[in-house]
Amino acid sequence: MIGRLNHVAIAVKDLDAATAIYRDTLGAKVTEPLPQPEHGVTVVFVELPNSKVELMSPLGENSTIQGFVDKNPAGGIHHVCYEVEDIIAARDKMKAQGARVLGTGEPKIGAHGKPVIFLHPKDFLGTLVELEQV
């Protein structure tokens, strides 16, 4: 059901500093910051030949990642994102197999402008999983 790895997301306290590490130290191409108020984050994407790394920092007082950043002030891997052909079919299959879909279970529009859902980390080896429709 899952396709290619779309991105690995790293939560960071300081997006500018994290961007500089990837852009200046590693020589990567990094996009401009993209605020995602509906998700409570600001993101940049490090563009790689075969995938992306998403650097994300809290946005606003009710950021969904603030707790994660508080527990991991140096930053850390937050989630992995896999591509799926049909987000509704993927959601329904996950739920039928007992996996927990976070939030209302209805897809939201992610940073790439495509529908996404998140799956509970306790159901996936301690890893928060994002599915994105391609």
Side-chain angles (χ1 to χ4, degrees):
M1 179 181 67
I2 61 173
R4 75 181 198 100
L5 174 67
N6 185 280
H7 65 269
V8 173
I10 300 173
V12 299
K13 184 182 284 189
D14 184 337
L15 191 59
D16 290 335
T19 297
I21 289 171
Y22 274 85
R23 182 190 60 232
D24 303 336
T25 305
L26 294 173
K29 180 179 177 188
V30 181
T31 66
E32 291 296 317
L34 179 62
Q36 297 286 292
E38 63 278 7
H39 296 285
V41 297
T42 299
V43 302
V44 300
F45 287 97
V46 178
E47 298 178 354
L48 307 171
N50 60 345
S51 189
K52 295 178 278 302
V53 172
E54 178 183 40
L55 303 175
M56 56 190 215
S57 65
L59 174 65
E61 294 179 14
N62 298 319
S63 173
T64 57
I65 68 163
Q66 187 63 57
F68 184 92
V69 171
D70 290 344
K71 291 178 189 172
N72 303 280
I77 293 177
H78 183 265
H79 69 268
V80 295
C81 177
Y82 302 108
E83 295 178 352
V84 296
E85 292 291 325
D86 183 332
I87 197 79
I88 299 300
R91 178 202 63 195
D92 293 349
K93 181 175 183 176
M94 293 294 97
K95 289 173 87 171
Q97 294 178 342
R100 291 171 278 181
V101 178
L102 298 179
T104 65
E106 291 302 313
K108 292 184 177 183
I109 300 302
H112 296 113
K114 298 176 181 178
V116 300
I117 59 171
F118 285 88
L119 305 173
H120 200 292
K122 289 186 179 178
D123 299 334
F124 295 92
L125 310 169
T127 303
L128 179 62
V129 173
E130 178 183 16
L131 299 180
E132 177 178 288
Q133 183 170 296
V134 291

